[in-house]
Amino acid sequence: MINKNKLWKTHNNLSLEERMEIVKKGPIPSHVAIIMDGNGRWARKRALPRIAGHHEGMKTVRKITRLANRLGVKALTLYAFSTENWKRPKKEVDYLMKLPQEFLETFLPELVEENVKVQMMGNQQQLPSYTVDAIKKAINDTKQNNGLILNFALNYGSRAEIMEAVHHVLEDIRNGVMNEKLLNEETFSRYLMTKQLPDPDLLIRTSGEIRLSNFMLWQLAYTELWFTDTLWPDFSEHHFLEAVESYQKRSRRFGGLG
Ligand code: FPP
């Protein structure tokens, strides 16, 4: 009989490079989406202000982006700010709005160098101009890149996205741009903010919460879900590989018998 504990220990003793090489031999999820949760709790455990947790979370974004790119993941969508996050204290919202700028000021040269292509999905209109400008610059500076797509979900909410798509479809039908008879799941998908992306193969949520929180409800229909108690600032490359390993062990049937 296989001793699971022994296997697990052996696995954990592998270096990151060794573990990566093994993972790369299996199927790599094309699109990974992450609900980065637990920054506040990470800070509270250290008696730090919540924004310190977000700052630390930003470093995890860099780490995981680099790893995903090296693994050959095609797209990484990160839930950085939801349409519901405006309810947080102003000081925290202000800080979260400054994070893309801070992140990109520091890491944009590295993203350009590493062939990462930055994108964003979400409602830009309510965002401060400095947030939009930072993202637009990153999108522009990386538009020729063809490596990992780093897609920030910023001021994003899935129900709002679907409603907006419905209105857009109706408008196109009224204007004769769209034929009602051609409306199906595939054509409707093109009205969503993810129109250039495949649906995620793997969703990761950190911090022990087991819910979707209005994130990519349409796109996650057949996605493999992976939850961990680890708080986002503590989420390491090994945790990401663990999620991919778990994905590799699952058999995806998409409703069929496989
Ligand atoms: C959820 O943790 C996290 C957020 C609402 C913000 C996520 C943002 C980052 C990780 C940084 C983003 C970086 C860039 C580059 C845009 P929480 O505050 O809800 O944690 P809690 O549940 O423990 O309070």
Side-chain angles (χ1 to χ4, degrees):
M1 207 179 90
I2 299 171
N3 180 336
K4 272 196 187 156
N5 283 339
K6 197 167 168 214
L7 254 186
W8 173 239
K9 194 163 179 332
T10 314
H11 220 71
N12 266 340
N13 286 342
L14 292 175
S15 74
L16 188 63
E17 297 300 319
E18 289 166 331
R19 198 169 175 183
M20 255 183 80
E21 284 319 306
I22 297 171
V23 168
K24 274 166 99 170
K25 293 196 170 82
I28 300 297
S30 287
H31 185 180
V32 180
I34 308 186
I35 303 178
M36 311 179 287
D37 199 4
N39 296 347
R41 273 162 285 168
W42 182 93
R44 196 170 61 218
K45 272 168 65 180
R46 290 161 180 78
L48 293 169
R50 290 178 57 79
I51 57 173
H54 297 314
H55 190 260
E56 200 62 26
M58 190 177 77
K59 297 185 195 163
T60 308
V61 169
R62 179 201 185 197
K63 234 171 19 193
I64 298 306
T65 302
R66 295 183 84 182
L67 177 68
N69 197 19
R70 288 185 61 203
L71 270 183
V73 171
K74 301 270 182 278
L76 180 67
T77 295
L78 302 177
Y79 206 3
F81 193 89
S82 77
T83 45
E84 287 72 34
N85 285 153
W86 295 107
K87 294 180 207 148
R88 294 186 176 208
K90 183 174 180 313
K91 192 168 157 234
E92 185 174 345
V93 170
D94 287 349
Y95 187 77
L96 284 169
M97 285 298 139
K98 294 217 170 82
L99 269 182
Q101 194 184 26
E102 187 181 340
F103 176 79
L104 292 165
E105 262 168 19
T106 318
F107 300 122
L108 184 55
E110 187 175 299
L111 297 175
V112 174
E113 173 82 9
E114 290 177 357
N115 197 23
V116 172
K117 189 180 173 85
V118 176
Q119 288 186 359
M120 181 208 143
M121 65 175 189
N123 185 337
Q124 285 194 11
Q125 273 148 27
Q126 292 153 306
L127 297 175
S129 56
Y130 52 82
T131 312
V132 177
D133 290 348
I135 298 266
K136 276 191 177 157
K137 177 171 170 17
I139 293 173
N140 192 48
D141 289 4
T142 61
K143 67 172 186 263
Q144 309 292 358
N145 287 353
N146 58 9
L148 174 81
I149 293 173
L150 176 60
N151 182 33
F152 287 108
L154 205 59
N155 196 20
Y156 172 85
S158 185
R159 288 186 175 181
E161 175 194 30
I162 293 169
M163 283 315 299
E164 196 182 303
V166 169
H167 283 292
H168 195 173
V169 168
L170 291 173
E171 192 184 310
D172 277 0
I173 290 174
R174 264 198 311 272
N175 294 334
V177 178
M178 170 76 179
N179 181 339
E180 197 179 333
K181 292 202 183 78
L182 296 180
L183 187 60
N184 55 37
E185 290 182 13
E186 205 266 313
T187 53
F188 181 74
S189 294
R190 293 188 216 144
Y191 285 83
L192 296 171
M193 290 169 180
T194 45
K195 54 181 170 287
Q196 292 115 338
L197 292 173
D199 288 342
D201 303 291
L202 173 65
L203 170 90
I204 297 172
R205 182 170 188 152
T206 58
S207 94
E209 310 292 350
I210 317 285
R211 55 176 173 265
L212 294 181
S213 301
N214 200 18
F215 187 54
M216 303 183 91
L217 302 178
W218 173 281
Q219 297 88 341
L220 293 174
Y222 288 103
T223 302
E224 296 296 330
L225 311 179
W226 192 82
F227 299 95
T228 174
D229 286 340
T230 305
L231 306 175
W232 178 249
D234 291 328
F235 190 80
S236 68
E237 285 102 336
H238 279 286
H239 289 113
F240 189 87
L241 290 178
E242 194 183 329
V244 176
E245 285 160 1
S246 163
Y247 167 85
Q248 292 181 333
K249 287 190 203 110
R250 301 189 196 180
S251 110
R252 302 186 76 196
R253 292 189 295 275
F254 298 93
L257 296 179

